[in-house]
């Protein structure tokens, strides 16, 4: 069975750390909006709001390509606070017959986010989360 594992959570919650663990030492691909804004040579992260839509499309495109290539396990690491952010992946999963697992990662380890998002903004993001129980 092919699987799409979606990790969602606030910045600093540990999504990227968990994604790395689930990738089994890079055996399985991990896609993230952050990758678009991270320089692969220096590993420096620089968010540019005006390019955010490009980052979303890039992540979607990489995921769909992996599904077309029948990669057995794909991992996504994004905040996914709003339904529209996650919806394209559900649609792709139906098309390519992937089982979807959505996991919300919580910050029980007092992690700090590398994005320098302040507590007020984090609280606003947290209020947008919708948890589906059924």
């Amino acid at each position: 069975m092919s699987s799409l594992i979606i990790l969602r959570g606030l910045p600093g919650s540990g999504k990227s750390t968990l994604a790395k663990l689930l990738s089994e030492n890079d055996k399985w691909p991990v896609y993230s909006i952050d990758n678009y804004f991270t320089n692969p040579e220096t590993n420096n992260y620089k968010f540019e709001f005006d390019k955010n839509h490009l980052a979303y499309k890039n992540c979607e495109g990489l995921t769909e390509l992996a599904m077309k290539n029948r990669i057995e396990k794909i991992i996504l690491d994004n905040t996914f606070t709003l339904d529209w952010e996650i919806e394209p992946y559900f649609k792709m999963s139906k098309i390519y017959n992937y089982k979807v697992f959505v996991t919300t990662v919580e910050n029980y380890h007092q992690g700090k986010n590398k994005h320098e998002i302040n507590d007020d903004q984090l609280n606003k993001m947290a209020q947008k989360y919708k948890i589906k129980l059924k």
Side-chain angles (χ1 to χ4, degrees):
M1 169 184 40
S2 298
S3 301
L4 176 66
I5 301 169
I6 298 175
L7 303 176
R8 62 191 296 255
L10 295 177
S13 62
K15 298 179 303 299
S16 298
T17 302
L18 180 57
K20 181 74 174 163
L21 177 70
L22 293 173
S23 77
E24 300 176 42
N25 293 318
D26 300 321
K27 178 179 178 182
W28 308 111
V30 176
Y31 301 123
S32 172
I33 303 300
D34 289 349
N35 295 349
Y36 188 85
F37 299 108
T38 303
N39 181 322
E41 293 175 13
T42 64
N43 208 32
N44 281 352
Y45 174 85
K46 183 177 184 239
F47 178 73
E48 297 176 58
F49 182 78
D50 61 328
K51 294 183 180 176
N52 205 29
H53 66 287
L54 298 173
Y56 277 99
K57 287 298 178 194
N58 183 64
C59 190
E60 289 172 23
L62 291 170
T63 301
E64 185 166 24
L65 182 61
M67 287 181 174
K68 283 181 180 177
N69 289 325
R70 303 304 311 154
I71 302 297
E72 187 177 329
K73 182 168 44 171
I74 303 166
I75 303 151
L76 295 178
D77 157 23
N78 291 320
T79 56
F80 292 118
T81 56
L82 302 170
D83 287 344
W84 70 263
E85 296 169 324
I86 202 168
E87 190 60 35
Y89 301 101
F90 288 127
K91 290 179 181 176
M92 276 186 247
S93 294
K94 283 184 181 177
I95 292 168
Y96 297 102
N97 198 29
Y98 273 71
K99 179 82 173 167
V100 179
F101 299 90
V102 179
T103 300
T104 301
V105 182
E106 298 181 26
N107 188 353
Y108 282 97
H109 60 283
Q110 307 306 313
K112 299 293 180 191
N113 75 77
K114 67 179 182 181
H115 309 293
E116 300 177 10
I117 298 173
N118 64 40
D119 287 344
D120 287 339
Q121 187 63 28
L122 284 174
N123 287 329
K124 287 178 186 176
M125 291 175 76
Q127 291 172 5
K128 295 177 185 176
Y129 268 96
K130 293 180 185 175
I131 305 296
K132 300 220 183 222
L133 298 176
K134 294 183 182 183

